[in-house]
Amino acid sequence: ENTTSHMGGSIKYKSRRSVTVFRIINGFLVRSLDEDKIELELGVNGRLLKFNFKWPNIEVANTKRTLTLPQVIDRIKQGDALGDSQNEYPPGGIAQVELTDYQVFYYVSTMHPYLRHSTAPQSPDIQPMIEFLATFKSKNGEKTDGGLFISVVGPK
């Protein structure tokens, strides 16, 4: 609510009232769907000035299961993670990897820089991924920082 006043504050009134409605999918709050919105604008005496209700259907596109954190760590230990192309590793090799931070994002198959437009899939695959910031340590104590990428979905 916004309150507006006139004449030195002697006349006060509500100039705007609003409400925000978010979508929840499988218990997760979704705030980034630009298409989803409910807009209501009221005028004098509650007169309806504008009403916009845009709430498209969302369908399950993929039924792969999400990996648990121990499963993600096991995949990293097995070498299933991708190293950032800009990583520099300690000269003495890697004896230990310390995960220091992470970011979850969605990788869309059409984002691949080498795919030609004509070979891009009609329905791109969208994969949830984790980018881990990591410190690579050698046996003799040398350290370098870098990144590791891993998908967080498993087989159906």
Side-chain angles (χ1 to χ4, degrees), residues 77-136:
K77 288 178 182 178
Q78 294 170 10
D80 287 343
L82 297 172
D84 191 322
S85 61
Q86 297 179 1
N87 283 354
E88 292 185 19
Y89 302 104
I94 300 171
Q96 182 181 5
V97 177
E98 179 183 333
L99 304 176
T100 57
D101 201 0
Y102 70 94
Q103 173 183 345
V104 177
F105 67 98
Y106 288 92
Y107 174 80
V108 181
S109 60
T110 57
M111 290 168 54
H112 194 281
Y114 304 111
L115 276 180
R116 300 216 189 289
H117 194 62
S118 62
T119 61
Q122 295 292 338
S123 179
D125 193 23
I126 300 172
Q127 293 283 330
M129 303 280 290
I130 297 179
E131 175 188 10
F132 286 103
L133 298 180
T135 300
F136 304 105

